[in-house]
Amino acid sequence: MIFGFTEAQISGFFLTYGVGAFIVFMLFIIGQLAWESKAGRFGAFVLFLGLGVGFIGYLAKIVIQWWLER
């Protein structure tokens, strides 16, 4: 036990909120990359689409888990 929490509780928290925070940070990085490269609207869309496609899998995992557990 660490600070009164079990290992399963800590890993569950960080797998949900820690990875979510990391995704938000990565979106900020992609936006900064689009801004500094002066990509324009279509270029920014392509950057977010190409680099952000992996996030869709994580979000789908959350939705599928919710659907199976209800």
Side-chain angles (χ1 to χ4, degrees):
M1 296 202 48
I2 301 172
F3 300 115
F5 296 107
T6 65
E7 183 181 353
Q9 289 173 325
I10 292 172
S11 64
F13 175 79
F14 281 107
L15 279 174
T16 303
Y17 299 106
V19 174
F22 181 67
I23 286 174
V24 170
F25 181 63
M26 291 298 291
L27 289 174
F28 170 76
I29 291 173
I30 294 169
Q32 188 71 20
L33 181 65
W35 177 264
E36 287 181 1
S37 67
K38 296 180 177 79
R41 284 188 194 152
F42 182 70
F45 171 74
V46 170
L47 280 170
F48 277 102
L49 182 67
L51 297 174
V53 148
F55 304 148
I56 295 171
Y58 180 74
L59 296 175
K61 176 184 120 11
I62 292 173
V63 170
I64 291 169
Q65 277 183 336
W66 170 81
W67 185 67
L68 290 174
E69 291 174 359
R70 66 177 173 101

